Amino acid sequence: MASVGLLALVDDIASLLDDVSLMTKVAAKKTAGVLGDDLALNAQQVTGVDPKRELPVVWAVAKGSYLNKLILVPLALVISAVFPIGVTILLMLGGLFLCYEGMEKLAHKWLPHEESDNEHKKKLAAATTDENVDIKAYERKKIKGAIRTDFILSAEIIVIALGVVQGETFLTQAVVVSLIAIVMTSGVYGLVAGIVKFDDAGLALIKYGQGGSKFDGFQRKLGQVILFLAPKLMKFLSVVGMIAMFLVGGGILVHGLPFLHHILEVLNTSLGAVMKVMMPMLFNGGVGLMAGVIVLSIVTGIKKLF
């Protein structure tokens, strides 16, 4: 009897792990859409920091991000257990926020700003070279700002992950959401560390490739290529992140609003095999764009009023 009970326990554990593995894969795919913007945004947060202090600053922000997750994961699980419809509401709000954020980035050049991007960059440069500026205080301010931004992005990731496992047991929800929180945070800040030191790697290759050998020449050329690609990588990540916001945010809204889901099904009935695969992505992106325009218009109108 004891062996039968043990086998049953092992079977239950294996079943739970199988469910967790499957749900984690699905949740990771859903939350990966936020990753591109998360990478670009966090890499930009280090702009203006002394190159020697970039990695310590990234590590400080990463620790703040883990703390954010430590607060948000239990809070989200409690809401799911006590007020399940609250997860759907948060998910829809998160989808709208993603669409708004994507549209704000898209419309950036047409919206009025207190200062241009060039003026902002000049201020950052001045802050790091001015002897009267307290560098440590400047770093702390940058870190606090980055952690506040991370709190919003972390909330988006956790709510999206929780939406995937909403119908599962509490244990499965807790394990999957916790795994997503840990993996995403480690992955994002590990990549951010690599991105912010990418140009330094190029400079190092140029510096150590000053000899006359073919290998030295190869090092110099590789370093020059890296320096050329570094700023373009940031722009690429920013564009990918913006597109992902419309796709993920629009997808959340389509899934949560039955009439939109019905329209997508009707559209798919008259399409060929290739377009049936493409249509959900295009439809989600279109819904995301429209939602972004609506929310941005409302927010801009409120700002003008007040």
Side-chain angles (χ1 to χ4, degrees):
M1 290 296 290
S3 60
V4 173
L6 180 60
L7 288 173
L9 177 62
V10 171
D11 184 62
D12 288 342
I13 292 172
S15 178
L16 174 64
L17 291 175
D18 188 52
D19 290 343
V20 167
S21 175
L22 180 62
M23 290 293 101
T24 302
K25 287 179 183 177
V26 175
K29 288 179 181 178
K30 292 281 186 181
T31 54
V34 190
L35 189 63
D37 187 67
D38 204 354
L39 281 172
L41 196 59
N42 280 293
Q44 287 167 358
Q45 295 286 0
V46 189
T47 303
V49 175
D50 184 343
K52 294 179 182 179
R53 295 288 303 158
E54 283 176 343
L55 290 182
V57 168
V58 171
W59 172 236
V61 178
K63 287 190 288 185
S65 180
Y66 281 116
L67 183 60
N68 286 340
K69 305 294 194 307
L70 196 61
I71 296 168
L72 287 166
V73 170
L75 183 62
L77 291 170
V78 169
I79 292 172
S80 177
V82 176
F83 185 54
I85 192 67
V87 176
T88 303
I89 294 170
L90 289 172
L91 198 58
M92 297 297 283
L93 290 173
L96 286 172
F97 180 79
L98 284 173
C99 297
Y100 161 73
E101 197 175 6
M103 183 52 63
E104 189 181 37
K105 287 177 180 294
L106 188 62
H108 179 77
K109 63 176 71 176
W110 295 289
L111 291 175
H113 298 283
E114 293 180 2
E115 60 180 5
S116 68
D117 290 341
N118 288 331
E119 288 173 344
H120 181 65
K121 287 177 181 177
K122 286 178 181 177
K123 284 186 177 180
L124 284 177
T128 54
T129 56
D130 189 349
E131 293 181 358
N132 296 321
V133 173
D134 186 343
I135 298 299
K136 290 185 178 179
Y138 177 74
E139 278 188 10
R140 286 196 295 269
K141 186 178 178 181
K142 294 282 287 186
I143 291 166
K144 286 179 181 178
I147 292 172
R148 281 196 299 270
T149 303
D150 176 89
F151 190 87
I152 296 170
L153 294 168
S154 295
E156 290 173 7
I157 289 170
I158 289 166
V159 170
I160 292 170
L162 193 57
V164 173
V165 294
Q166 194 173 1
E168 303 297 322
T169 64
F170 181 81
L171 181 58
T172 301
Q173 289 182 7
V175 174
V176 169
V177 175
S178 298
L179 282 174
I180 289 294
I182 294 168
V183 170
M184 282 293 180
T185 304
S186 302
V188 164
Y189 287 98
L191 287 170
V192 166
I195 290 168
V196 298
K197 301 308 288 184
F198 191 50
D199 54 351
D200 288 350
L203 288 171
L205 286 170
I206 293 171
K207 179 182 177 181
Y208 292 110
Q210 297 301 318
S213 67
K214 289 183 178 180
F215 181 70
D216 288 329
F218 171 75
Q219 276 188 306
R220 286 196 303 275
K221 287 181 181 178
L222 181 60
Q224 289 165 0
V225 169
I226 289 174
L227 286 178
F228 174 76
L229 290 177
K232 297 185 182 299
L233 175 62
M234 289 295 297
K235 288 183 180 179
F236 174 75
L237 286 173
S238 183
V239 171
V240 169
M242 182 182 66
I243 294 171
M245 283 179 176
F246 291 124
L247 293 175
V248 176
I252 290 170
L253 296 176
V254 170
H255 183 75
L257 298 172
F259 77 93
L260 288 175
H261 192 69
H262 178 67
I263 292 172
L264 178 58
E265 288 179 343
V266 171
L267 288 173
N268 261 343
T269 54
S270 57
L271 296 175
V274 176
M275 282 306 297
K276 277 187 177 180
V277 176
M278 295 293 294
M279 180 50 71
M281 183 175 67
L282 295 173
F283 188 76
N284 291 346
V287 169
L289 279 168
M290 287 188 289
V293 169
I294 293 168
V295 178
L296 182 62
S297 301
I298 293 170
V299 172
T300 305
I302 292 171
K303 284 181 178 179
K304 286 181 179 179
L305 284 173
F306 295 99

